Amino acid sequence: QKLKTLSDGGEYQGELGDLTVRVSLDKEAGTLTISDREGSFPGMQESRKFNIVIIRDGETSTYTEEL
């Protein structure tokens, strides 16, 4: 649900402090793009893990990307 919200909005800000991660979904090309992080805040983790689940025609594929 959160990833759908991220991709619909094209950008996710606020909840993570002074940090921007851009998420874009190109339905025609079938691609999801997650940008490099921009910004920082005190106590920020060195990396953040994205778990991406794709459901197509009843089949599920899971990908994990650490940024």
Side-chain angles (χ1 to χ4, degrees):
Q1 179 64 29
K2 187 172 273 190
L3 185 57
K4 180 172 179 6
T5 301
L6 291 175
S7 63
D8 285 348
E11 189 171 308
Y12 184 55
Q13 288 181 292
E15 187 175 315
L16 301 175
D18 189 20
L19 178 69
T20 300
V21 176
R22 287 180 176 75
V23 178
S24 61
L25 178 64
D26 184 334
K27 292 180 183 180
E28 188 173 306
T31 60
L32 174 71
T33 303
I34 302 171
S35 74
D36 290 337
R37 302 183 304 177
E38 297 174 13
S40 63
F41 57 89
M44 183 177 89
Q45 298 173 346
E46 287 188 28
S47 63
R48 189 160 295 273
K49 187 182 292 186
F50 288 84
N51 296 310
I52 302 163
V53 179
I54 298 171
I55 303 170
R56 185 178 295 151
D57 300 326
E59 299 291 322
T60 301
S61 301
T62 304
Y63 302 90
T64 300
E65 184 67 34
E66 197 160 327
L67 303 172

